[in-house]
Amino acid sequence: MSTATTEFRTVYTVDELLASRSYEEPLIANGVRCHGGFDADGQYHSPRTLHRAPAIHGWQAQLAREGHDLVEISHALMPPQYPNVEQAKLLLRNGVQEPLVRALTIISIVEGFGAMIRDVSVPDLRELLVEPIDGTALDHLTLGLFEAHARDESGYREEGGHKQMWEAARDAALENPKVPGDVLMRLMGRRGRGGRPKPAFPEIGEPLERMLGFMANVLVVEVVAEGTFQWGIDVLSDPEVSAAPEVAGGMVRNIRADEKPHVEYLRTALSEVRARTIRTVDGKQIAGRVVIDGFLHRILSQMTKNRPSDQRDDVREGLIEAMAKAANPAALEEEFDALDSSWLAPEKTGFEPTSHAA
Ligand SMILES: [Fe+2]
Ligand SMILES: [Fe+2]
């Protein structure tokens, strides 16, 4: 491994990876003190990035110097949000809020689930990987990276995180709407379907399989979320349908800025495994590339297949009932359906299996 220089420092303490810069002004949303804050020029700065951002940069630079790729998930794989921006605005213009309240509440709940990342157990990677991991993102997962991510998503102590920030954006834009009581229950019902998938790589052992599978899943969720943020910004910043276009739109922009380190550290750590060799439980070896690409291919194939219909089924379930509020429900339904985005999943995920074990 290369020696760390000041420019490309690669070893950090937990405290450093959790440290924030000082702010001129805190971020307060709908009366809730949130994380992050503004500098003297009014520029927003994400929490816990004082050292985390340069650290991730250093680990990425190190991978590049060693001649390895950083995994990149194509945005073409991300299905559009349903209802799309135009459909969402149409509903709001017609006084039909419920589907949007539901969609925004689901986003806030899913953000809060992000805190589960701190419970991922990390096996002894020095045992499981052939090559050393000193000074890598992998070596810092339990030294601040997972914890910073968890705090960003669900808040920490008196500070709200993304869960509270989405709620604040929803409540400001839609003027404290009534939130349906069954959002969480329905979401859990859908998530419970299918149970746990079969191991994709039993030869690497369950602890490593679970850790890598979880991280690959979260990475895909984070990349999908990038599309959701743009949707949120487009809908909530429109003064025609939003009561607080600047506050609510700005809030989603801040959340989006906070997501960048999540995508970056996850893809760095997964790329570090991909650049290494894994010891199998039966004393053999398998290329990290085979395993990481295998996970990403499986997750992306399922996501592109299932997400559009899952999201659509969920929204359609209460849509017609919610539309009954409009002056002319039948005309609204027709107009709504005419605005549908057509989308076809790309044929390739970019992580198709190419070769066998090392
Ligand atoms: Fe988030
Ligand atoms: Fe995130």
Side-chain angles (χ1 to χ4, degrees):
M1 286 282 143
S2 48
T3 44
T5 66
T6 335
E7 278 172 274
F8 286 128
R9 220 181 116 194
T10 53
V11 178
Y12 290 82
T13 65
V14 177
D15 287 346
E16 284 175 323
L17 292 177
L18 293 174
S20 298
R21 53 174 285 152
S22 53
Y23 309 112
E24 279 299 307
E25 221 188 291
L27 172 63
I28 297 189
N30 226 33
V32 181
R33 166 86 159 87
C34 295
H35 66 210
F38 301 90
D39 64 18
D41 299 325
Q43 168 81 35
Y44 175 77
H45 293 275
S46 297
R48 298 172 272 271
T49 50
L50 184 64
H51 297 288
R52 190 168 43 142
I56 295 169
H57 178 74
W59 295 320
Q60 292 186 340
Q62 175 169 263
L63 259 181
R65 276 201 308 276
E66 291 166 357
H68 302 299
D69 299 331
L70 203 51
V71 291
E72 175 118 41
I73 295 173
S74 162
H75 278 96
L77 292 163
M78 303 302 141
Q81 184 80 10
Y82 185 83
N84 65 29
V85 173
E86 288 315 315
Q87 288 173 318
K89 289 183 181 180
L90 175 75
L91 293 176
L92 292 175
R93 279 200 306 270
N94 283 275
V96 179
Q97 275 196 337
E98 209 238 49
L100 267 292
V101 174
R102 203 172 265 284
L104 292 165
T105 304
I106 289 175
I107 296 170
S108 77
I109 292 172
V110 173
E111 287 272 22
F113 285 157
M116 289 192 297
I117 195 115
R118 65 158 65 90
D119 299 322
V120 171
S121 73
V122 178
D124 186 351
L125 298 174
R126 285 184 166 77
E127 285 269 301
L128 294 167
L129 297 172
V130 172
E131 296 83 356
I133 57 161
D134 304 82
T136 58
L138 270 180
D139 205 17
H140 290 79
L141 294 175
T142 51
L143 293 176
L145 289 176
F146 281 163
E147 183 59 30
H149 187 164
R151 292 182 188 185
D152 288 354
E153 305 293 18
S154 69
Y156 185 62
R157 296 192 174 154
E158 71 284 359
E159 272 181 10
H162 292 170
K163 178 176 197 303
Q164 295 77 15
M165 289 161 84
W166 274 102
E167 289 166 355
R170 174 198 69 200
D171 294 345
L174 305 179
E175 301 177 281
N176 301 306
K178 185 175 171 301
V179 177
D182 63 342
V183 179
L184 178 63
M185 223 170 61
R186 267 165 60 173
L187 188 64
M188 296 309 285
R190 258 200 338 278
R191 285 194 156 215
R193 275 191 332 219
R196 187 185 293 174
K198 276 204 199 84
F201 294 99
E203 65 268 44
I204 67 171
E206 204 197 333
L208 187 62
E209 159 108 24
R210 287 182 73 166
M211 176 189 114
L212 295 175
F214 193 90
M215 288 170 65
N217 252 309
V218 176
L219 175 62
V220 171
V221 169
E222 294 274 345
V223 177
V224 171
E226 287 174 358
T228 309
F229 291 122
Q230 194 54 50
W231 171 88
I233 292 167
D234 291 344
V235 175
L236 301 180
S237 316
D238 181 351
E240 213 195 322
V241 297
S242 168
E246 274 172 32
V247 170
M251 183 64 68
V252 181
R253 274 192 198 91
N254 297 340
I255 301 173
R256 180 170 65 178
D258 300 343
E259 300 294 358
K260 196 157 169 46
H262 301 171
V263 173
E264 296 303 325
Y265 93 85
L266 285 169
R267 72 188 188 114
T268 305
L270 291 172
S271 301
E272 288 166 350
V273 175
R274 196 171 179 266
R276 287 173 169 72
T277 316
I278 299 171
R279 290 185 221 277
T280 62
V281 287
D282 56 359
K284 297 186 183 126
Q285 296 186 351
I286 182 171
R289 170 185 288 265
V290 173
V291 172
I292 297 300
D293 288 5
F295 276 122
L296 288 172
H297 180 65
R298 181 165 90 165
I299 296 164
L300 288 166
S301 308
Q302 280 170 0
M303 189 273 297
T304 50
K305 197 170 92 205
N306 300 335
R307 184 177 154 91
S309 54
D310 279 357
Q311 215 184 29
R312 182 171 292 257
D313 292 350
D314 188 47
V315 172
R316 295 294 305 192
E317 201 178 317
L319 187 68
I320 304 304
E321 211 182 298
M323 280 181 179
K325 269 208 177 77
N328 186 343
L332 178 60
E333 190 185 342
E334 200 175 309
E335 201 180 336
F336 182 90
D337 287 337
L339 289 171
D340 233 2
S341 324
S342 62
W343 186 77
L344 270 183
E347 268 173 35
K348 296 204 156 175
T349 63
F351 297 96
E352 278 68 19
T354 46
S355 59
H356 291 287

